[in-house]
Amino acid sequence: MTDTVQKPEQATVTIGDGVQATVPEPCILVIFGATGDLAQRKLLPALYALAGEGSLPTGFTILGTGRNESDDQTFRATMKKAVHSYSRIGFHEATWADFEQGLCYEQVDPDLPTAMDTLRERLEQIDQKRGTKGNYLFYLAVPPSGFGPLSEMLGKAGLAQAPGKIRRLIVEKPLGHNLASARALNERLHEAFDEDQIFRIDHYLGKETVQNLMVFRFANGIFEPIWNRQYIDHVQITVAESIGIEGRSAYYEESGALRDIVQNHIMQLVAIIGMEAPSNFASETVRDEKVKLLRAVRPIHPDDVLNHTVRGQYAEGTVNGEYVPGYRSESGVNPLSLRETFVAMKLDIDNWRWADTPFYLRAGKRMPKRATEVAIQFRRVPHSPFSGHSLTPSGVLPPNAIDPDVLTIHIQPDEGITLSINAKVPGRSTTIRTVNMDFAYGSAFSTQSPDAYERLLLDCMLGDATLFAREDEVEEAWRFCTAILDGWRAHPPDKVMTPNYAAGSWGPDEAFQFIERDGRQWHRM
Ligand code: BG6
């Protein structure tokens, strides 16, 4: 039943940075919801970029499907426009001419009893014509209510399993809205597909800098010995976005910042920063370590939720010099909505490495700028031998007058790593000031980082699940977030105090007070 495909000799290609990369087996990528936003903005441009660098297998075909009647030519024209608008590598007629040969459309209306027969017939025709050998990947780019039914239909039609051939399912969040629904969804998907056939995309895992976090930790000898409670005071993870909800009111009113960013992207970052070193880079070994870490995350008791979390919602304000309306005035949002567009929280990890070393997390829409960062704040020096202006009875600067060292991993937009350390200001007095040692991707490497979807789609074709969320990772992240949601339900936000931060600010005052209570501060970004 499993996705064990006999691997013939695999072809390789030399890509931009001179690296030899494996080319996947010929296959068809079926996209359900192929004319939707995700397909046009992300999937097609990513596949086109892969075509441009020669990473796609011979005969590779995209079969777009949807409820609407259409044909190959119309689909190609729509996708050409999408690639024109969103391609990372620009538009090249010759690449397109070749790429579009592998673009097809078939109307597949899941409400019709013949839907899967139509699909099967078309797949078989493509196999004949393009030599794709019955290898299929099914991407469910449809609303989440379609995940279970479509997967079930594929299963019943016998399309989910075919010994010796590739059959994989690709899904993307929201994967449930709490622990129970996430479990129910996983069970439903498993009725047709085995776990090793399911690829759950979290696009943060496809980001170069997120992958580099693992290389940084485990390919350098100097950081790992100090990567623990003895040397680290606390960790901060910030996902700040200057954009609002971008017309996605129906989704966001249901979701909010916790489900939209924390449950998936931030919990993945927590796992990668906090996990033990895997013994190898095989997908199950890496994911086992991540799950172990997530299991050690202490649940926040619903009665304790107000001490550990802060919710915010943006009011009108100014972002990048432009007026923007408040969340409640966004089209489609309930004018009395209490939905959070900002969340800050403290997360504790109950294991030897991290005991008493909290992770402070925050995510928000309509912040002053777009920036995702991880800041590792080291402990202060235990004693300072330097004399200074604020003298203690012994005549030396107290240790807390010297800033702690901070390692900042800039995930976006300016990808890189900064180590902030203390240095002596030139001159006769011993004046200490913080200086930065910087590594910037842009100047260290000449190659542009690929888009997350390029890496993830290719890995899925190759059957490498390392950068995909396994069912237990998703469920552990939900375990933590569901307890918070339960607590929030029992302690709804103050109607009078909502909204509580101006667009273009760093969130509600309470978020600052919350971390200051612990004698700490959010890093300036
Ligand atoms: C998505 C969220 O998962 O991530 C969006 O649904 C958010 O609300 C986006 O804007 C942020 O992604 P990135 O790559 O811009 O950080």
Side-chain angles (χ1 to χ4, degrees):
M1 278 275 283
T2 56
D3 190 9
T4 41
V5 180
Q6 282 188 353
K7 291 206 174 95
E9 194 109 317
Q10 287 190 302
T12 58
V13 63
T14 308
I15 49 176
D17 44 13
V19 169
Q20 286 285 307
T22 309
V23 177
E25 285 287 283
C27 60
I28 303 174
L29 173 68
V30 181
I31 305 180
F32 290 93
T35 48
D37 212 45
L38 177 65
Q40 296 203 39
R41 278 174 188 262
K42 295 291 181 186
L43 307 185
L44 264 293
L47 292 160
Y48 174 77
L50 291 173
E53 66 178 27
S55 293
L56 293 178
T58 326
F60 173 76
T61 304
I62 298 166
L63 175 59
T65 78
R67 287 178 189 270
N68 298 337
E69 206 182 323
S70 186
D71 55 31
D72 294 354
Q73 289 316 322
T74 316
F75 182 59
R76 287 176 187 176
T78 315
M79 293 305 131
K80 189 174 183 180
K81 270 198 214 144
V83 169
H84 254 294
S85 309
Y86 302 112
S87 165
R88 175 180 70 82
I89 58 162
F91 188 86
H92 310 282
E93 281 299 341
T95 310
W96 177 260
D98 195 35
F99 181 70
E100 75 166 1
Q101 298 304 310
L103 280 184
C104 315
Y105 183 87
E106 188 68 45
Q107 180 185 21
V108 176
D109 181 349
D111 292 338
L112 298 179
T114 53
M116 291 295 127
D117 295 331
T118 312
L119 176 64
R120 188 187 307 101
E121 273 165 35
R122 186 69 197 265
L123 287 168
E124 285 168 2
Q125 274 171 22
I126 298 172
D127 281 337
Q128 293 284 322
K129 203 168 140 205
R130 298 197 37 101
T132 38
K133 302 180 180 170
N135 293 328
Y136 311 147
L137 291 95
F138 302 102
Y139 200 125
L140 308 187
V142 296
S145 56
F147 295 170
L150 275 171
S151 148
E152 221 160 65
M153 288 172 86
L154 289 167
K156 285 197 182 130
L159 284 165
Q161 303 291 339
K165 298 187 195 308
I166 295 172
R167 296 295 159 94
R168 295 181 188 135
L169 184 78
I170 312 173
V171 283
E172 198 163 336
K173 73 143 208 257
L175 302 172
H177 56 270
N178 57 17
L179 179 58
S181 55
R183 276 192 183 140
L185 175 64
N186 279 336
E187 274 168 27
R188 200 154 173 206
L189 299 183
H190 284 153
E191 281 169 20
F193 292 88
D194 298 327
E195 180 58 24
D196 62 3
Q197 295 176 281
I198 303 176
F199 287 68
R200 296 178 192 80
I201 288 199
D202 181 315
H203 79 279
Y204 260 57
L205 291 177
K207 290 183 192 277
E208 273 298 321
T209 29
V210 174
Q211 292 165 46
N212 188 44
L213 255 169
M214 288 188 261
V215 174
F216 180 79
R217 285 195 58 194
F218 306 127
N220 291 301
I222 60 170
F223 298 111
E224 214 36 40
I226 56 169
W227 205 263
N228 57 50
R229 65 187 302 274
Q230 250 184 301
Y231 298 95
I232 295 176
D233 177 73
H234 72 278
V235 175
Q236 292 186 17
I237 303 177
T238 302
V239 177
E241 296 186 86
S242 54
I243 55 171
I245 55 164
E246 307 271 277
R248 295 153 78 215
S249 56
Y251 161 74
Y252 207 85
E253 278 280 86
E254 288 293 315
S255 149
L258 183 77
R259 291 185 175 100
D260 189 42
I261 301 286
V262 179
Q263 189 276 334
N264 37 74
H265 310 326
I266 291 193
M267 292 306 278
Q268 284 292 338
L269 289 173
V270 168
I272 293 172
I273 295 160
M275 71 183 188
E276 298 303 310
S279 57
N280 57 50
F281 220 63
S283 59
E284 297 320 306
T285 320
V286 173
R287 299 194 297 176
D288 283 349
E289 291 303 339
K290 285 166 65 191
V291 169
K292 266 194 243 166
L293 187 284
L294 292 171
R295 283 198 191 121
V297 170
R298 188 187 306 163
I300 295 174
H301 192 278
D303 290 344
D304 232 10
V305 77
L306 298 184
N307 292 326
H308 281 76
T309 68
V310 172
R311 279 165 288 185
Q313 186 192 88
Y314 62 86
E316 60 181 355
T318 308
V319 180
N320 294 327
E322 264 183 44
Y323 168 83
V324 296
Y327 176 67
R328 289 174 170 188
S329 308
E330 301 269 11
S331 134
V333 170
N334 172 359
L336 297 176
S337 174
L338 295 174
R339 181 51 73 206
E340 87 285 357
T341 60
F342 172 96
V343 57
M345 68 178 69
K346 179 174 162 181
L347 171 149
D348 293 296
I349 299 173
D350 289 328
N351 66 15
W352 276 52
R353 186 187 282 266
W354 297 111
D356 299 324
T357 301
F359 281 43
Y360 294 93
L361 318 176
R362 63 181 169 159
K365 296 270 186 205
R366 290 290 190 217
M367 305 268 101
K369 61 176 179 177
R370 174 175 185 246
T372 298
E373 278 187 15
V374 176
I376 313 282
Q377 180 163 323
F378 292 93
R379 292 198 184 282
R380 290 177 189 278
V381 290
H383 164 75
S384 149
F386 303 107
S387 56
H389 302 295
S390 50
L391 293 180
T392 57
S394 62
V396 295
L397 269 176
N400 65 4
I402 300 179
D403 286 337
D405 300 333
V406 180
L407 179 80
T408 309
I409 296 141
H410 309 277
I411 293 186
Q412 59 191 20
D414 302 317
E415 305 161 329
I417 295 175
T418 304
L419 182 61
S420 306
I421 52 174
N422 291 303
K424 179 182 172 300
V425 178
R428 277 198 296 153
S429 68
T430 310
T431 307
I432 297 170
R433 188 175 303 156
T434 301
V435 293
N436 288 339
M437 287 168 67
D438 274 320
F439 148 65
Y441 257 76
S443 43
F445 300 108
S446 54
T447 18
Q448 207 193 0
S449 296
D451 183 73
Y453 281 90
E454 292 170 34
R455 171 71 196 256
L456 296 175
L457 286 167
L458 197 63
D459 278 4
C460 181
M461 289 178 215
L462 289 165
D464 182 349
T466 315
L467 300 177
F468 295 82
R470 208 168 58 187
E471 64 174 321
D472 43 3
E473 288 178 60
V474 173
E475 290 181 11
E476 284 304 323
W478 270 123
R479 179 183 60 82
F480 176 69
C481 291
T482 303
I484 296 174
L485 289 166
D486 290 345
W488 281 356
R489 205 169 313 109
H491 305 274
D494 188 326
K495 290 192 182 112
V496 182
M497 296 299 286
T498 308
N500 60 357
Y501 72 97
S505 73
W506 284 104
D509 291 345
E510 218 188 321
F512 290 88
Q513 293 150 9
F514 153 83
I515 190 166
E516 281 158 15
R517 274 206 304 270
D518 290 353
R520 300 179 172 116
Q521 286 183 335
W522 294 112
H523 285 275
R524 283 171 58 131
M525 310 217 3

